[in-house]
Amino acid sequence: MPTEEFTETEMLVQWNKYAQRLGDKGHKIMQSLLLINDPKLNGTTITFELPNEGSKLDFEGQIHGLLGHLKGHLHNHDITIEVNVNEAIEVKRSLNDQDRYNRLMEINPNIDLLRTTFGLDLHT
């Protein structure tokens, strides 16, 4: 089984792609759980915090599909996901266009090049 190295940014891109795919298929609850906050990477262990035990149970019930996606797209079968409950985390519920744009810029700074090249503007 492959065990290629990958960065946290690459992991975040695949995490968000999987969330988008779930949303496109109508699995909005799991999509929103994946987008509550950003997972952290330590070696091949992904640590993810959720706001309560109920959301942790929902997430863990669907974790195998996410793990399969990450292992396949990041070419590393040593990946594990550790889920913690942190009731103090701030849930990101309503993001405006600027918030989404800033988040995309964190993932890929070339987004700004696209925006300026095509003369795009944010409508908030």
Side-chain angles (χ1 to χ4, degrees):
M1 294 293 195
T3 56
E4 293 178 19
E5 290 187 23
F6 59 93
T7 66
E8 187 169 73
T9 301
E10 292 169 325
M11 179 270 297
L12 285 171
V13 167
Q14 289 305 322
W15 185 280
N16 288 320
K17 281 184 180 180
Y18 186 77
Q20 181 63 50
R21 194 170 83 190
L22 286 177
D24 292 346
K25 290 182 177 180
H27 302 283
K28 299 293 186 185
I29 293 173
M30 186 63 177
Q31 178 188 24
S32 66
L33 288 177
L34 286 168
L35 300 176
I36 281 178
N37 65 36
D38 290 335
K40 304 293 181 223
L41 181 64
N42 183 12
T44 58
T45 300
I46 299 168
T47 304
F48 188 58
E49 290 187 340
L50 290 167
N52 56 54
E53 199 63 41
S55 60
K56 179 181 178 184
L57 290 173
D58 288 343
F59 180 84
E60 288 177 339
Q62 302 293 321
I63 201 168
H64 297 294
L66 173 61
L67 265 173
H69 176 86
L70 293 172
K71 288 177 179 182
H73 285 82
L74 297 172
H75 309 288
N76 190 315
H77 283 72
D78 291 340
I79 296 172
T80 58
I81 298 176
E82 180 181 302
V83 183
N84 300 314
V85 173
N86 180 356
E87 294 182 8
I89 65 171
E90 183 179 319
V91 178
K92 298 183 225 174
R93 291 182 191 248
S94 60
L95 298 177
N96 63 28
D97 290 341
Q98 186 65 50
D99 293 333
R100 287 186 195 97
Y101 179 74
N102 291 342
R103 178 70 187 107
L104 288 172
M105 283 286 295
E106 289 175 19
I107 294 172
N108 187 346
N110 290 327
I111 295 293
D112 194 50
L113 177 63
L114 272 175
R115 185 186 61 77
T116 54
T117 301
F118 293 103
L120 302 175
D121 198 9
L122 295 177
H123 298 285
T124 53

